[in-house]
Amino acid sequence: MPELPEMETYRQQLTRLIQGAPITGTEVTRPKSLNVEPDSFIRKLTGNRIIRIDRRAKHLLFHLVSGEVLLLHLMLGGWMFYGTEDEKPDRTTQVVIHFGTKHLYFIGLRLGYLHMHSLPEVDLLLGKLGPEPLDSSFTFPQFQQVLKSKKSNLKLSFVDQSFLSGIGNCYSDEICFYAGILPLRKLSSLTEEEQNRLFQAMRSVLLEAIQFGGYIDEPLFIGDRLTGQFDAKCRVYDREGEPCLRCGHPLIKTEVSSRKCFYCANCQA
Ligand SMILES: [Zn+2]
C-alpha cells in the first residue's frame, strides 16, 4: 500500500502535470469507487480545474476551483498513470479524468476510493489522524508526547494512523532498522536517547524515500525516472533471509498481529 513518501511523490509530480489544466471530461467504470452518482460526479468535474493538490497522511486532496475537494485513498493495489490513450498501460481503469489529449487514469481502485466532499467535510473526515511526521511544527517534545499516547509496541503504533500519519508496513520497519531498535519494543520501554534516535530515523527515512520517489513499481508517466527508486534502497522490508546491510546477519521476517514485520535480530535491540 502506498505510504507517505509514495503519496508525496504523486503530489509533487501531479502538481507539475495537471494543476490548473481544464478538465475536459471524466469516465467512471466503477461507480463504487465514488461517493456520489457518476452523472453528478462527471457534471461537476467537466469544465472544472484542480487548483492545488495537498497530501494528508496517505490521502491526496485535489482542490477544485469550484470549492469541492476530491479525496483520494489508493489503499492496497491502487495506483495512477498520466498520459495519452496510446501510452496507457494495459490495465482496467475505474475512473479516468480527461485533460484534453492527456488523461489521469486511476488503476486498481478497488479497496481505494475517489470521493467528492466540501472542505469542512474533509476536515471532519481527516480530523482523527495523528500528526504529520515531517511537519516543521512537529518537534521532538511533541513526538515524546505521542509516544506516551499508546501502550503498544513500535510496529503496531507506527502503522496506527491516529498515532502518526502516513506510515505503514514498509516504513515502520525501515524506521526501526535505521534507529537500530526492535519493532517489537514497547513504547514505554524506550529511553530518551532511543526516542531521539527514533525521531531522527523517522525524519531521515521518510525524507530519503521522498527524494527517491518512494517504492511504488509503476511509473506515473512515460519517462518518469523518479517514481519507485526507493524500492532498491529499502534496507529490511521484503528482504527476509538477505544479509543485513549493517552487520551481515540474515534478516528475520515475522508477523505482528497479522502484519508483516522485517528486522535484524543482531543489530536492532
Ligand atoms: Zn544487522
Side-chain angles (χ1 to χ4, degrees):
M1 187 192 295
E3 303 177 29
L4 186 158
E6 289 69 42
M7 297 315 285
E8 185 59 26
T9 302
Y10 273 135
R11 187 192 71 76
Q12 292 176 7
Q13 304 226 80
L14 283 175
T15 296
R16 200 163 42 74
L17 295 167
I18 62 171
Q19 182 170 280
I23 296 170
T24 52
T26 306
E27 275 167 57
V28 178
T29 44
R30 188 175 186 277
K32 276 186 177 174
S33 300
L34 311 178
N35 63 333
V36 293
E37 287 302 317
D39 282 353
S40 134
F41 186 81
I42 292 166
R43 207 170 42 244
K44 279 190 171 161
L45 279 189
T46 307
N48 220 324
R49 284 166 203 264
I50 292 159
I51 48 166
R52 195 176 78 247
I53 307 174
D54 287 338
R55 183 194 55 74
R56 180 77 175 95
K58 302 175 190 171
H59 302 82
L60 283 193
L61 286 70
F62 298 93
H63 295 270
L64 298 168
V65 72
S66 57
E68 290 98 348
V69 179
L70 295 181
L71 182 66
L72 171 71
H73 198 311
L74 291 172
M75 304 289 281
L76 196 64
W79 54 287
M80 288 178 276
F81 181 83
Y82 178 75
T84 64
E85 223 169 309
D86 289 344
E87 294 168 339
K88 172 191 169 290
D90 187 19
R91 300 285 289 270
T92 311
T93 58
Q94 287 72 48
V95 181
V96 186
I97 301 179
H98 304 303
F99 300 88
T101 55
K102 298 239 176 162
H103 318 276
L104 181 60
Y105 298 97
F106 295 86
I107 302 165
L109 205 63
R110 304 198 175 277
L111 298 170
Y113 54 82
L114 185 65
H115 286 179
M116 188 177 277
H117 291 292
S118 68
L119 202 50
E121 281 169 356
V122 170
D123 287 343
L124 199 67
L125 285 167
L126 304 184
K128 289 197 175 104
L129 290 169
E132 285 286 334
L134 293 180
D135 234 37
S136 54
S137 61
F138 187 62
T139 57
F140 179 60
Q142 282 167 321
F143 180 62
Q144 288 183 297
Q145 283 305 313
V146 168
L147 289 174
K148 283 183 195 157
S149 70
K150 298 269 174 211
K151 298 207 184 316
S152 164
N153 59 41
L154 272 174
K155 175 73 184 182
L156 292 179
S157 302
F158 268 135
V159 298
D160 178 346
Q161 298 304 293
S162 69
F163 176 76
L164 287 170
S165 278
I167 297 170
N169 255 353
C170 171
Y171 294 103
S172 53
D173 290 352
E174 292 297 314
I175 291 166
C176 288
F177 176 80
Y178 196 98
I181 298 172
L182 285 168
L184 296 162
R185 286 276 301 277
K186 292 268 183 216
L187 299 187
S188 55
S189 76
L190 297 170
T191 65
E192 182 155 3
E193 189 271 328
E194 287 173 324
Q195 293 176 343
N196 193 38
R197 249 194 290 151
L198 208 56
F199 182 67
Q200 302 303 335
M202 179 177 73
R203 294 188 55 85
S204 298
V205 167
L206 294 176
L207 286 170
E208 185 192 14
I210 292 170
Q211 189 194 340
F212 288 97
Y215 65 73
I216 254 189
D217 291 338
E218 314 286 348
L220 176 61
F221 54 93
I222 300 290
D224 174 8
R225 306 245 177 279
L226 176 65
T227 301
Q229 296 306 300
F230 190 73
D231 192 38
K233 292 183 174 286
C234 282
R235 294 165 179 93
V236 283
Y237 192 70
D238 258 345
R239 294 191 178 276
E240 181 187 14
E242 291 181 31
C244 168
L245 293 174
R246 206 158 38 204
C247 75
H249 276 245
L251 297 173
I252 305 270
K253 177 191 178 185
T254 184
E255 277 200 5
V256 184
S257 297
S258 77
R259 284 175 174 277
K260 283 196 281 183
C261 179
F262 300 86
Y263 63 94
C264 176
N266 189 51
C267 67
Q268 286 176 257

